[in-house]
């Protein structure tokens, strides 16, 4: 009846996951109770859960990422404490628990923090920057988000019900095969990634189509803001790479569930095929994450330097070059597995070549700042901090791309330091820069600058104190994923790293405090102009938060830096604007399809993990029925009458004009 | 087309070289839908290519079990191929009928497509069942694993296509040739033709090359 599920799945003997799970459960139930008692449920349902508005979905993606960042961060803290105390002792974590923690940390940070964060920002911003009303497929967008949430939910369920994979974040076979991992850990891993992977693919298709087919009038390719370009590149990579992950995990699951022999040790299975397939996805994945961050830095650096982006066209070329080359370097992840010197040399050179377009980008940002009037607001701090940090990470990356050096350093803490260096210094700093930069656009008030700067400095310093020691222990020969060790020379560095982790944690706390303080002071921080940073692209042309239809009139773009251009011509305030006639606007209607679909997907995923076959069928039928019901509805759009559009737009216009006239008198 | 070459607007671009082709604005819904679906199909083909790659790697790993030439039946595969290629033709006829708003020919075209798809699936199912009964199931060797997965993945897609086809017939029956229904019919047709292309790959890589070896 319940497959493999019974009471032994609950780890009553392990206090840490049980207590953590209990706290989370109480927190969730508390929030739910509060929502129901206060009567917020209808609001949540109508305005958020069933919303197909790209801005709302973007915000929900970022919320999911932030919550999961705390989960993945707790895992990181536990690991750093373990390695600090586990010198000639077992530490405080049993080995099988420690193995689950580092696997969960990697999986969560990549799939449920970095991915949702960048997809959330892209969702929020790209349609606004392109001057359009929504993404290409709004309901599908909601489906994509909720499926991602399903994956995150399944990973967290593994904390209390059953176990998570003990295989590392990529579940290499044969360790992840049934004979070596008979528990449900790998199944939790694989099904949560399969389900959220579908969500990611949907988001990718949506954003590619949006950028290529929905741009407003006059928004030629070479007038698009840089963030749109990097979004396009990143989502092209999603569309090309995520099916590889889907296929690879499907093969692994077939091995585990039906006794197939793709990657097994016996009957002709080939483990190296898994390495090739997973890294053919995994390497582009790195650039799926970091390219949008590059786009954010381009926007931020240009805005806060008060200058057009230096070398716009070379930036576009660099972006697309990275997009293509990132697919040709996957083999550098297994230089040491006997491919031979010729193959290694070719892939080593290809890997180093990526440093060229990346270098082009760094110089372009520097030249954008050169001669500009730089304002060091929080987003700018994250961007400059990124440039310093990322260059170190990039250089160690080039070092690892030298096959002989890689033979010494692979699988060591040096590698761990390298990829945290690029992913934290690149993706996470980018995500935070974007968060600070676009927060006023999403919510209509700015974030507190003092707490924001404190958060930056603690994170920045904490990052270096945590990860520079890892480079050193890596060169001293410490391998990754160590549960305990006996080498005295490593000990001091592990303690320094743990201290760094504490500093990083203060940075995270600052960010939470910043959010709370800013919400409290929101009236003082209110942004009435819609353009708090003196921005250059179209998202600043509308009010903050933007109306559901984004723009009363489809903007007509005349050049690069579209909104800067409009401001220069004073077009927004001109009489020409008043003469235009408002029209009715059709918008897609809300739909619970995404939520219901994810509900059934959760049931199906959980049932598959525990081999509860009747429930699998139930979940599958439910998901299919949801789509048929969705396809059957007759009215998928509603009309916002012209008068309402006019009323909303006039308020926005008045605010802007009054501000301009104030600026004139000062 | 609404693309106009202008020089006036172009002055705002500092890096402007030559004539700028003005972007006319958002594409119509039909184009957007088809475009998005094409991108999905491309991603699906990437997924198939992984199974093709796995098959290419594992085709020789028979682990003492049968080789391809010992289990493939040319006649069955020929019938399957004819069914699928014909169904692509009838699917095309149904698409034309939908464009002409002709219900009778639409239902007829879709029904024949469905029947041909089901025949294809029945033959494939019989082939699989027969192999399993002889002890040559997917867990016998890595070669059979790759064979069952690649061909089965295509078969699963055809099954999903049949389900979708029936849903589309029901939609036309209930809603008529509404714009959104027509867009879905168009996507279905793209899907069905793409499956045909994948089958040509399966036919060549698995059955033709395999029968010779």
């Amino acid at each position: 009846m319940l497959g493999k599920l019974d009471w032994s799945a609950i780890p009553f003997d392990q206090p840490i996951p049980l207590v953590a799970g209990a706290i989370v459960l109480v927190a969730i139930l508390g929030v739910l109770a509060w929502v129901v008692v206060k009567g917020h449920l209808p609001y949540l349902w109508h305005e958020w859960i069933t919303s197909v508005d790209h801005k709302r979905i973007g915000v929900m993606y970022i919320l999911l990422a932030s919550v999961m960042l705390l989960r993945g961060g707790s895992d990181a803290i536990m690991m750093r404490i373990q390695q600090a105390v586990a010198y000639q002792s077992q530490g405080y974590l049993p080995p099988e628990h420690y193995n689950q923690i580092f696997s969960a940390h990697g999986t969560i940070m990549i799939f449920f923090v970095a991915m949702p964060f960048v997809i959330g920002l892209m969702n929020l911003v790209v349609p606004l920057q392109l001057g359009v009303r929504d993404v290409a497929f709004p309901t599908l967008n909601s489906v994509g988000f909720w499926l991602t949430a399903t994956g995150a939910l399944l990973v967290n369920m593994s904390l209390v019900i059953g176990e998570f994979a003990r295989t590392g974040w990529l579940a290499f076979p044969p360790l992840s095969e049934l004979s070596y991992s008979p528990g449900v850990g790998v199944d939790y891993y694989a099904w949560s990634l399969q389900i959220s992977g579908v969500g990611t693919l949907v988001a990718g298709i949506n954003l590619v189509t949006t950028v290529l087919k929905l741009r407003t009038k006059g928004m030629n390719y070479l007038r698009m803001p840089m963030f749109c370009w990097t979004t396009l590149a990143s989502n092209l990579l999603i569309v090309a790479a995520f099916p590889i992950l889907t296929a690879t995990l499907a093969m692994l699951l077939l091995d585990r569930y039906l006794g197939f022999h793709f990657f097994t040790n016996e009957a002709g299975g080939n483990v190296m095929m898994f390495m090739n397939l997973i890294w053919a996805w995994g390497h582009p994945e790195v650039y799926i994450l970091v390219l949008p961050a590059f786009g954010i830095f381009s926007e931020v650096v240009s805005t806060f330097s008060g200058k057009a982006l230096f070398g716009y066209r070379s930036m576009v070329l660099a972006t697309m070059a990275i997009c293509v080359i990132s697919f040709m370097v996957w083999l550098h992840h297994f230089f040491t597995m006997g491919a031979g010197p010729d193959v290694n040399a070719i892939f080593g050179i290809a890997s180093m070549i990526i440093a060229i377009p990346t270098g082009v980008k760094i110089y372009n940002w520097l030249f954008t700042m050169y001669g500009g009037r730089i304002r060091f607001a929080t987003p700018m701090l994250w961007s400059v901090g990124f440039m310093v940090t990322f260059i170190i990470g990039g250089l160690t990356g080039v070092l690892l791309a030298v096959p002989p050096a890689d033979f010494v350093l692979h699988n060591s803490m040096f590698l761990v330091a390298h990829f945290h260096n690029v992913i934290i210094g690149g993706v996470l700093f980018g995500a935070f820069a974007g968060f600070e930069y676009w927060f006023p656009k999403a919510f209509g008030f700015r974030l507190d600058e003092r707490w924001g700067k404190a958060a930056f400095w603690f994170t920045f310093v904490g990052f270096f104190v945590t990860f520079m020691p890892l480079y050193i222990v890596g060169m001293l020969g410490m391998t990754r994923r160590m549960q305990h060790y006996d080498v005295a020379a490593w000990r001091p560095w592990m303690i320094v790293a743990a201290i760094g982790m504490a500093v990083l944690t203060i940075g995270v706390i600052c960010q939470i405090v910043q959010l709370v303080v800013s919400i409290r002071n929101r009236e003082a921080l209110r942004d009435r102009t819609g353009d708090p940073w003196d921005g250059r692209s179209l998202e600043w042309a509308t009010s903050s938060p933007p109306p559901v239809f984004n723009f009363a009139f489809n903007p007509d773009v005349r050049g690069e830096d579209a909104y800067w251009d409009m401001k220069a011509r004073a077009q927004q305030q001109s009489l020409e604007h008043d003469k235009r006639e408002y029209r009715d606007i059709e918008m897609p209607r809300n739909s619970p399809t995404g939520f219901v679909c994810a509900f059934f997907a959760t049931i199906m995923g959980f049932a598959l993990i525990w081999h509860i076959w009747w429930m699998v069928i139930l979940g599958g039928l439910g998901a299919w029925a949801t789509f048929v019901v969705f396809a059957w509805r007759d009215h998928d759009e509603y009309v916002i009458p012209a008068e309402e559009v006019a009323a909303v737009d006039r308020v926005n216009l008045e605010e802007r004009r009054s501000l301009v006239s104030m600026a004139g008198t000062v | 087309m609404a693309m106009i070459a202008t020089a006036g607007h172009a002055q705002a671009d500092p890096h402007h070289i030559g004539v700028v082709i003005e972007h006319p604005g958002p594409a119509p819904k039909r184009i957007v839908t088809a475009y998005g679906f094409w991108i999905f199909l491309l991603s699906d083909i990437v997924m198939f290519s992984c199974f093709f790659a796995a098959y290419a790697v594992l085709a020789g790993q028979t682990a003492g079990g049968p080789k391809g030439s010992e289990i493939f039946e040319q006649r069955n595969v020929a019938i399957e191929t004819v069914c699928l290629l014909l169904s692509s033709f009838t699917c095309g006829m149904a698409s034309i009928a939908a464009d002409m708003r002709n219900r009778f020919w639409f239902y007829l075209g879709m029904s024949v497509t469905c029947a041909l798809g089901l025949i294809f699936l029945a033959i494939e199912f019989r082939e699989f069942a027969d192999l399993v009964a002889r002890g040559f199931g997917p867990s016998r060797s890595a070669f059979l694993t790759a064979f069952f997965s690649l061909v089965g993945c295509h078969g699963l897609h055809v099954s999903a296509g049949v389900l979708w086809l029936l849903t589309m017939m029901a939609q036309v029956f209930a809603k008529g040739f509404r714009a959104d229904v027509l867009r879905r019919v168009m996507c279905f047709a793209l899907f069905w033709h793409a499956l045909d292309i994948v089958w040509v790959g399966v036919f060549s890589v698995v059955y033709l090359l395999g029968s010779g070896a």
Side-chain angles (χ1 to χ4, degrees), chain B residues 3 13 17 21 28 33 46 63 66 72 83 85 103 111 114-115 128 131 141 152 154 183 193 201:
Chain B
M3 290 207 173
D13 289 335
I17 312 161
I21 308 294
T33 307
V46 171
F72 297 151
C83 280
L85 292 183
R103 277 181 188 242
S111 307
C114 180
F128 280 8
L131 281 174
S141 70
H154 178 268
R183 283 200 299 271
H193 295 314

PDB file of all heavy atoms in Angstrom, chain B residues 3 13 17 21 28 33 46 63 66 72 83 85 103 111 114-115 128 131 141 152 154 183 193 201:
ATOM      1  N   MET B   3       8.711  45.774 -42.028  1.00  0.00           N
ATOM      2  CA  MET B   3      10.057  46.239 -41.709  1.00  0.00           C
ATOM      3  C   MET B   3      10.436  47.401 -42.614  1.00  0.00           C
ATOM      4  O   MET B   3      10.441  47.290 -43.833  1.00  0.00           O
ATOM      5  CB  MET B   3      11.060  45.106 -41.907  1.00  0.00           C
ATOM      6  CG  MET B   3      10.906  44.023 -40.867  1.00  0.00           C
ATOM      7  SD  MET B   3      12.443  43.175 -40.624  1.00  0.00           S
ATOM      8  CE  MET B   3      12.045  42.124 -39.250  1.00  0.00           C
ATOM      9  N   ASP B  13      21.824  55.848 -32.016  1.00  0.00           N
ATOM     10  CA  ASP B  13      22.790  54.803 -31.681  1.00  0.00           C
ATOM     11  C   ASP B  13      24.199  55.312 -31.905  1.00  0.00           C
ATOM     12  O   ASP B  13      24.607  55.564 -33.034  1.00  0.00           O
ATOM     13  CB  ASP B  13      22.582  53.572 -32.582  1.00  0.00           C
ATOM     14  CG  ASP B  13      21.301  52.862 -32.215  1.00  0.00           C
ATOM     15  OD1 ASP B  13      20.877  52.998 -31.047  1.00  0.00           O
ATOM     16  OD2 ASP B  13      20.738  52.179 -33.076  1.00  0.00           O
ATOM     17  N   ILE B  17      26.153  51.735 -37.511  1.00  0.00           N
ATOM     18  CA  ILE B  17      26.855  51.581 -38.783  1.00  0.00           C
ATOM     19  C   ILE B  17      25.813  51.257 -39.836  1.00  0.00           C
ATOM     20  O   ILE B  17      25.048  50.303 -39.661  1.00  0.00           O
ATOM     21  CB  ILE B  17      27.858  50.410 -38.750  1.00  0.00           C
ATOM     22  CG1 ILE B  17      28.723  50.481 -37.484  1.00  0.00           C
ATOM     23  CG2 ILE B  17      28.717  50.386 -39.996  1.00  0.00           C
ATOM     24  CD1 ILE B  17      29.391  49.166 -37.157  1.00  0.00           C
ATOM     25  N   ILE B  21      17.482  48.367 -39.585  1.00  0.00           N
ATOM     26  CA  ILE B  21      16.163  47.822 -39.873  1.00  0.00           C
ATOM     27  C   ILE B  21      15.329  47.973 -38.611  1.00  0.00           C
ATOM     28  O   ILE B  21      15.654  47.410 -37.575  1.00  0.00           O
ATOM     29  CB  ILE B  21      16.244  46.327 -40.269  1.00  0.00           C
ATOM     30  CG1 ILE B  21      17.241  46.107 -41.387  1.00  0.00           C
ATOM     31  CG2 ILE B  21      14.873  45.810 -40.628  1.00  0.00           C
ATOM     32  CD1 ILE B  21      16.882  46.724 -42.694  1.00  0.00           C
ATOM     33  N   PRO B  28       2.666  38.477 -33.805  1.00  0.00           N
ATOM     34  CA  PRO B  28       1.330  37.977 -33.500  1.00  0.00           C
ATOM     35  C   PRO B  28       1.384  36.659 -32.721  1.00  0.00           C
ATOM     36  O   PRO B  28       2.377  35.934 -32.756  1.00  0.00           O
ATOM     37  CB  PRO B  28       0.699  37.771 -34.877  1.00  0.00           C
ATOM     38  CG  PRO B  28       1.738  38.033 -35.883  1.00  0.00           C
ATOM     39  CD  PRO B  28       2.923  38.615 -35.232  1.00  0.00           C
ATOM     40  N   THR B  33       3.470  31.465 -30.500  1.00  0.00           N
ATOM     41  CA  THR B  33       3.199  30.106 -30.034  1.00  0.00           C
ATOM     42  C   THR B  33       4.030  29.096 -30.818  1.00  0.00           C
ATOM     43  O   THR B  33       4.686  28.221 -30.238  1.00  0.00           O
ATOM     44  CB  THR B  33       1.704  29.776 -30.203  1.00  0.00           C
ATOM     45  OG1 THR B  33       0.955  30.808 -29.564  1.00  0.00           O
ATOM     46  CG2 THR B  33       1.369  28.446 -29.591  1.00  0.00           C
ATOM     47  N   VAL B  46      17.319  17.443 -28.468  1.00  0.00           N
ATOM     48  CA  VAL B  46      18.560  17.337 -27.694  1.00  0.00           C
ATOM     49  C   VAL B  46      18.459  16.145 -26.737  1.00  0.00           C
ATOM     50  O   VAL B  46      19.398  15.355 -26.582  1.00  0.00           O
ATOM     51  CB  VAL B  46      18.834  18.637 -26.901  1.00  0.00           C
ATOM     52  CG1 VAL B  46      19.997  18.441 -25.941  1.00  0.00           C
ATOM     53  CG2 VAL B  46      19.109  19.793 -27.825  1.00  0.00           C
ATOM     54  N   ALA B  63      27.386  -8.115 -23.703  1.00  0.00           N
ATOM     55  CA  ALA B  63      27.559  -8.925 -22.486  1.00  0.00           C
ATOM     56  C   ALA B  63      27.161 -10.376 -22.703  1.00  0.00           C
ATOM     57  O   ALA B  63      26.481 -10.994 -21.879  1.00  0.00           O
ATOM     58  CB  ALA B  63      26.764  -8.310 -21.327  1.00  0.00           C
ATOM     59  N   PRO B  66      22.340 -11.264 -27.175  1.00  0.00           N
ATOM     60  CA  PRO B  66      22.196 -11.167 -28.628  1.00  0.00           C
ATOM     61  C   PRO B  66      22.709  -9.841 -29.179  1.00  0.00           C
ATOM     62  O   PRO B  66      22.719  -8.824 -28.478  1.00  0.00           O
ATOM     63  CB  PRO B  66      20.701 -11.283 -28.827  1.00  0.00           C
ATOM     64  CG  PRO B  66      20.111 -10.753 -27.562  1.00  0.00           C
ATOM     65  CD  PRO B  66      21.057 -11.138 -26.470  1.00  0.00           C
ATOM     66  N   PHE B  72      16.577  -8.044 -34.644  1.00  0.00           N
ATOM     67  CA  PHE B  72      15.739  -7.110 -35.412  1.00  0.00           C
ATOM     68  C   PHE B  72      15.028  -7.842 -36.531  1.00  0.00           C
ATOM     69  O   PHE B  72      15.629  -8.637 -37.255  1.00  0.00           O
ATOM     70  CB  PHE B  72      16.598  -5.986 -36.005  1.00  0.00           C
ATOM     71  CG  PHE B  72      17.267  -5.142 -34.968  1.00  0.00           C
ATOM     72  CD1 PHE B  72      18.479  -4.506 -35.224  1.00  0.00           C
ATOM     73  CD2 PHE B  72      16.684  -4.965 -33.721  1.00  0.00           C
ATOM     74  CE1 PHE B  72      19.096  -3.730 -34.255  1.00  0.00           C
ATOM     75  CE2 PHE B  72      17.298  -4.195 -32.747  1.00  0.00           C
ATOM     76  CZ  PHE B  72      18.508  -3.580 -33.027  1.00  0.00           C
ATOM     77  N   CYS B  83       3.847   3.020 -41.665  1.00  0.00           N
ATOM     78  CA  CYS B  83       2.743   3.565 -40.863  1.00  0.00           C
ATOM     79  C   CYS B  83       3.044   4.995 -40.431  1.00  0.00           C
ATOM     80  O   CYS B  83       2.220   5.902 -40.583  1.00  0.00           O
ATOM     81  CB  CYS B  83       2.538   2.731 -39.598  1.00  0.00           C
ATOM     82  SG  CYS B  83       1.613   1.247 -39.876  1.00  0.00           S
ATOM     83  N   LEU B  85       5.312   7.188 -41.546  1.00  0.00           N
ATOM     84  CA  LEU B  85       5.452   8.171 -42.628  1.00  0.00           C
ATOM     85  C   LEU B  85       4.086   8.523 -43.199  1.00  0.00           C
ATOM     86  O   LEU B  85       3.785   9.690 -43.453  1.00  0.00           O
ATOM     87  CB  LEU B  85       6.385   7.634 -43.716  1.00  0.00           C
ATOM     88  CG  LEU B  85       7.856   7.495 -43.308  1.00  0.00           C
ATOM     89  CD1 LEU B  85       8.689   7.021 -44.485  1.00  0.00           C
ATOM     90  CD2 LEU B  85       8.415   8.807 -42.768  1.00  0.00           C
ATOM     91  N   ARG B 103     -14.573  20.407 -40.966  1.00  0.00           N
ATOM     92  CA  ARG B 103     -14.609  19.449 -39.869  1.00  0.00           C
ATOM     93  C   ARG B 103     -14.465  18.016 -40.349  1.00  0.00           C
ATOM     94  O   ARG B 103     -13.719  17.232 -39.780  1.00  0.00           O
ATOM     95  CB  ARG B 103     -15.927  19.582 -39.094  1.00  0.00           C
ATOM     96  CG  ARG B 103     -15.879  20.698 -38.083  1.00  0.00           C
ATOM     97  CD  ARG B 103     -17.194  20.761 -37.332  1.00  0.00           C
ATOM     98  NE  ARG B 103     -17.206  21.946 -36.510  1.00  0.00           N
ATOM     99  CZ  ARG B 103     -17.295  21.911 -35.173  1.00  0.00           C
ATOM    100  NH1 ARG B 103     -17.407  20.769 -34.551  1.00  0.00           N
ATOM    101  NH2 ARG B 103     -17.285  23.025 -34.490  1.00  0.00           N
ATOM    102  N   SER B 111      -8.328  10.862 -37.513  1.00  0.00           N
ATOM    103  CA  SER B 111      -8.647   9.469 -37.175  1.00  0.00           C
ATOM    104  C   SER B 111      -7.655   8.525 -37.827  1.00  0.00           C
ATOM    105  O   SER B 111      -7.151   7.590 -37.186  1.00  0.00           O
ATOM    106  CB  SER B 111     -10.061   9.107 -37.635  1.00  0.00           C
ATOM    107  OG  SER B 111     -10.973  10.033 -37.131  1.00  0.00           O
ATOM    108  N   CYS B 114      -4.425   8.744 -36.081  1.00  0.00           N
ATOM    109  CA  CYS B 114      -4.509   8.024 -34.806  1.00  0.00           C
ATOM    110  C   CYS B 114      -4.388   6.520 -35.041  1.00  0.00           C
ATOM    111  O   CYS B 114      -3.620   5.826 -34.355  1.00  0.00           O
ATOM    112  CB  CYS B 114      -5.834   8.355 -34.139  1.00  0.00           C
ATOM    113  SG  CYS B 114      -6.050   7.544 -32.569  1.00  0.00           S
ATOM    114  N   ALA B 115      -5.139   6.010 -36.037  1.00  0.00           N
ATOM    115  CA  ALA B 115      -5.112   4.570 -36.309  1.00  0.00           C
ATOM    116  C   ALA B 115      -3.697   4.123 -36.680  1.00  0.00           C
ATOM    117  O   ALA B 115      -3.192   3.123 -36.159  1.00  0.00           O
ATOM    118  CB  ALA B 115      -6.095   4.245 -37.430  1.00  0.00           C
ATOM    119  N   PHE B 128       8.671  -5.599 -28.368  1.00  0.00           N
ATOM    120  CA  PHE B 128       9.240  -5.536 -27.022  1.00  0.00           C
ATOM    121  C   PHE B 128       8.830  -6.760 -26.202  1.00  0.00           C
ATOM    122  O   PHE B 128       9.659  -7.405 -25.552  1.00  0.00           O
ATOM    123  CB  PHE B 128       8.775  -4.252 -26.305  1.00  0.00           C
ATOM    124  CG  PHE B 128       9.551  -3.025 -26.707  1.00  0.00           C
ATOM    125  CD1 PHE B 128      10.454  -3.060 -27.755  1.00  0.00           C
ATOM    126  CD2 PHE B 128       9.376  -1.825 -26.026  1.00  0.00           C
ATOM    127  CE1 PHE B 128      11.169  -1.931 -28.123  1.00  0.00           C
ATOM    128  CE2 PHE B 128      10.083  -0.701 -26.378  1.00  0.00           C
ATOM    129  CZ  PHE B 128      10.974  -0.752 -27.430  1.00  0.00           C
ATOM    130  N   LEU B 131      10.646  -9.843 -27.227  1.00  0.00           N
ATOM    131  CA  LEU B 131      12.045  -9.869 -26.781  1.00  0.00           C
ATOM    132  C   LEU B 131      12.129 -10.204 -25.296  1.00  0.00           C
ATOM    133  O   LEU B 131      12.966 -11.012 -24.872  1.00  0.00           O
ATOM    134  CB  LEU B 131      12.698  -8.509 -27.041  1.00  0.00           C
ATOM    135  CG  LEU B 131      13.140  -8.242 -28.477  1.00  0.00           C
ATOM    136  CD1 LEU B 131      13.636  -6.807 -28.612  1.00  0.00           C
ATOM    137  CD2 LEU B 131      14.236  -9.210 -28.881  1.00  0.00           C
ATOM    138  N   SER B 141      21.541  -6.821 -21.185  1.00  0.00           N
ATOM    139  CA  SER B 141      22.856  -6.260 -21.512  1.00  0.00           C
ATOM    140  C   SER B 141      22.737  -4.756 -21.730  1.00  0.00           C
ATOM    141  O   SER B 141      21.639  -4.233 -21.882  1.00  0.00           O
ATOM    142  CB  SER B 141      23.405  -6.904 -22.792  1.00  0.00           C
ATOM    143  OG  SER B 141      22.658  -6.463 -23.905  1.00  0.00           O
ATOM    144  N   GLY B 152      11.980   2.925 -26.961  1.00  0.00           N
ATOM    145  CA  GLY B 152      10.861   3.115 -26.040  1.00  0.00           C
ATOM    146  C   GLY B 152      10.560   4.587 -25.805  1.00  0.00           C
ATOM    147  O   GLY B 152       9.405   4.980 -25.666  1.00  0.00           O
ATOM    148  N   HIS B 154      10.960   6.983 -27.938  1.00  0.00           N
ATOM    149  CA  HIS B 154      10.204   7.421 -29.106  1.00  0.00           C
ATOM    150  C   HIS B 154       8.767   6.923 -29.007  1.00  0.00           C
ATOM    151  O   HIS B 154       7.812   7.661 -29.266  1.00  0.00           O
ATOM    152  CB  HIS B 154      10.878   6.908 -30.387  1.00  0.00           C
ATOM    153  CG  HIS B 154      10.140   7.276 -31.634  1.00  0.00           C
ATOM    154  ND1 HIS B 154       9.196   6.443 -32.200  1.00  0.00           N
ATOM    155  CD2 HIS B 154      10.178   8.385 -32.406  1.00  0.00           C
ATOM    156  CE1 HIS B 154       8.701   7.037 -33.274  1.00  0.00           C
ATOM    157  NE2 HIS B 154       9.284   8.217 -33.423  1.00  0.00           N
ATOM    158  N   ARG B 183      -4.227  27.016 -32.839  1.00  0.00           N
ATOM    159  CA  ARG B 183      -2.806  27.099 -32.478  1.00  0.00           C
ATOM    160  C   ARG B 183      -2.327  25.775 -31.898  1.00  0.00           C
ATOM    161  O   ARG B 183      -1.228  25.320 -32.183  1.00  0.00           O
ATOM    162  CB  ARG B 183      -2.586  28.221 -31.456  1.00  0.00           C
ATOM    163  CG  ARG B 183      -2.605  29.599 -32.055  1.00  0.00           C
ATOM    164  CD  ARG B 183      -1.915  30.607 -31.144  1.00  0.00           C
ATOM    165  NE  ARG B 183      -2.570  30.729 -29.839  1.00  0.00           N
ATOM    166  CZ  ARG B 183      -3.555  31.573 -29.587  1.00  0.00           C
ATOM    167  NH1 ARG B 183      -4.013  32.368 -30.529  1.00  0.00           N
ATOM    168  NH2 ARG B 183      -4.082  31.631 -28.381  1.00  0.00           N
ATOM    169  N   HIS B 193       5.169  15.592 -36.703  1.00  0.00           N
ATOM    170  CA  HIS B 193       6.187  15.550 -37.767  1.00  0.00           C
ATOM    171  C   HIS B 193       7.582  15.384 -37.172  1.00  0.00           C
ATOM    172  O   HIS B 193       8.415  14.671 -37.725  1.00  0.00           O
ATOM    173  CB  HIS B 193       6.131  16.819 -38.618  1.00  0.00           C
ATOM    174  CG  HIS B 193       4.857  16.968 -39.381  1.00  0.00           C
ATOM    175  ND1 HIS B 193       4.288  15.943 -40.087  1.00  0.00           N
ATOM    176  CD2 HIS B 193       4.023  18.022 -39.531  1.00  0.00           C
ATOM    177  CE1 HIS B 193       3.160  16.353 -40.645  1.00  0.00           C
ATOM    178  NE2 HIS B 193       2.980  17.620 -40.317  1.00  0.00           N
ATOM    179  N   GLY B 201      15.821   8.791 -37.737  1.00  0.00           N
ATOM    180  CA  GLY B 201      17.090   8.558 -37.059  1.00  0.00           C
ATOM    181  C   GLY B 201      17.142   7.185 -36.419  1.00  0.00           C
ATOM    182  O   GLY B 201      18.124   6.448 -36.558  1.00  0.00           O
TER     183      GLY B 201
END
